Amino acid sequence: MGVLKELQCPSCYKKWRLCLGHGRKHSSLGRVMKLFPDPIQKQIAACKEGGALPLFHFQYQTAVCRQCQEMIAVPVLVLKEKESDQTLTGTCPICGGEAELLDENSAITCPKCQKAELDRQDVGLWD
């Protein structure tokens, strides 16, 4: 089950609501694949070609898009491979720009005004 998180800037009052984590429908690699742009879908499909499906971990994570200056939830897929794990990150759902993943436990500066740390609060659950 995922968490609905609200982030708000105490300076400019900009507010974001992000669906983080994962839901039940994200237990299938085929469904998760569709959340990524075509080039990443091809990478995932190549991993599936060997016959056995790879082990994976999926969730939406907090990120900021430096192109449109929005706080976003982006899909992140970790393919568990024998040699090393491969992490694939989606793009901004608003503008398609590159997403910068943020550490959930670190302070996040407002991407709009750059003047204050965002206040964070869990406001619900989603599935």
Side-chain angles (χ1 to χ4, degrees):
M1 182 158 294
V3 174
L4 181 60
K5 189 169 290 278
E6 187 173 272
L7 301 97
Q8 184 169 7
C9 178
S11 178
C12 69
Y13 303 106
K14 176 71 176 166
K15 187 186 291 188
W16 295 271
R17 279 189 165 210
L18 305 178
C19 291
L20 303 174
H22 59 86
R24 281 185 274 177
K25 72 178 183 177
H26 300 119
S27 62
S28 161
L29 188 57
R31 287 184 179 164
V32 167
M33 248 175 93
K34 295 175 186 174
L35 301 172
F36 291 89
D38 287 341
I40 295 177
Q41 284 187 31
K42 289 177 184 174
Q43 281 182 273
I44 297 168
C47 291
K48 290 172 58 176
E49 284 179 3
L53 291 175
L55 295 175
F56 71 94
H57 174 74
F58 171 82
Q59 67 179 357
Y60 283 97
Q61 292 184 11
T62 306
V64 64
C65 177
R66 294 295 176 199
Q67 186 170 322
C68 68
Q69 304 296 310
E70 294 290 342
M71 294 298 303
I72 53 176
V74 293
V76 177
L77 176 67
V78 179
L79 296 170
K80 305 284 187 176
E81 298 176 1
K82 288 180 184 175
E83 304 83 44
S84 64
D85 294 347
Q86 181 181 8
T87 301
L88 303 169
T89 304
T91 57
C92 175
I94 299 167
C95 72
E98 187 175 334
E100 178 186 330
L101 294 176
L102 301 174
D103 182 356
E104 279 289 315
N105 300 317
S106 298
I108 301 172
T109 302
C110 178
K112 288 292 186 181
C113 73
Q114 301 289 319
K115 293 181 181 175
E117 180 182 322
L118 297 178
D119 295 327
R120 294 178 268 195
Q121 182 178 3
D122 292 349
V123 293
L125 300 172
W126 68 276
D127 193 20

